[in-house]
Amino acid sequence: MNQYETVFILTPVLSDEQMKETVAKFKNLLTEKGAEIVNEEAWGLKKMAYAIQKKSTGFYCLLEFKAEPEVVKTLEIGYRRDEKVIRFMTVKLDKYAAEYAVKRRNKYAKKEEA
């Protein structure tokens, strides 16, 4: 199993509940296909560097997971079919990126505790 990190941007016109439902839908899609979700971060509503589909903001979400390569294809097809997703990117983490992700996760956890 490889470790992956995916970031997707949801349209800003969604309510908070709709945004959480959409994230849960993608998490369920991953777990149904046998992926193990390592970390989930909701970055919230952020301003984008440039407009996408005439929108200048979007809900950002990051998921880290371990899965087989076929699962990534299924996930990206799900992103393309969902009109709420305006941009996405999935990256396979090598051993150095995986180590960095653990450090970043620990740093993020300490910030939330404070």
Side-chain angles (χ1 to χ4, degrees), residues 109-114:
K110 287 178 185 174
K111 279 185 179 180
E112 285 193 357
E113 288 176 3

Side-chain angles (χ1 to χ4, degrees), residues 42-63:
W43 294 342
L45 188 66
K46 294 204 176 269
K47 185 170 177 18
M48 295 187 273
Y50 55 90
I52 301 173
Q53 298 175 4
K54 298 182 181 178
K55 294 172 178 66
S56 60
T57 59
F59 287 106
Y60 282 67
C61 186
L62 172 129
L63 292 174

Side-chain angles (χ1 to χ4, degrees), residues 3 5 39 41 62 64 93-108:
Q3 188 163 350
E5 182 176 85
N39 185 31
E41 294 177 18
L62 172 129
E64 283 181 55
L93 301 178
D94 62 2
K95 65 179 182 178
Y96 303 109
E99 288 174 14
Y100 177 76
V102 170
K103 288 179 187 175
R104 188 180 52 77
R105 242 182 283 141
N106 293 336
K107 184 177 173 182
Y108 185 74

Side-chain angles (χ1 to χ4, degrees), residues 12-63:
V13 297
L14 300 175
S15 69
D16 196 41
E17 186 177 311
Q18 289 172 320
M19 189 256 314
K20 288 179 182 175
E21 286 174 5
T22 306
V23 172
K25 179 179 98 171
F26 290 120
K27 284 174 56 179
N28 288 339
L29 186 131
L30 285 170
T31 53
E32 286 172 5
K33 298 293 180 182
E36 173 194 339
I37 296 178
V38 178
N39 185 31
E40 173 192 1
E41 294 177 18
W43 294 342
L45 188 66
K46 294 204 176 269
K47 185 170 177 18
M48 295 187 273
Y50 55 90
I52 301 173
Q53 298 175 4
K54 298 182 181 178
K55 294 172 178 66
S56 60
T57 59
F59 287 106
Y60 282 67
C61 186
L62 172 129
L63 292 174

Side-chain angles (χ1 to χ4, degrees), residues 6-10 23 26 59-61 63 79 85 87-88:
T6 183
V7 177
F8 54 97
I9 306 171
L10 300 173
V23 172
F26 290 120
F59 287 106
Y60 282 67
C61 186
L63 292 174
Y79 285 151
V85 177
R87 229 7 145 250
F88 65 90

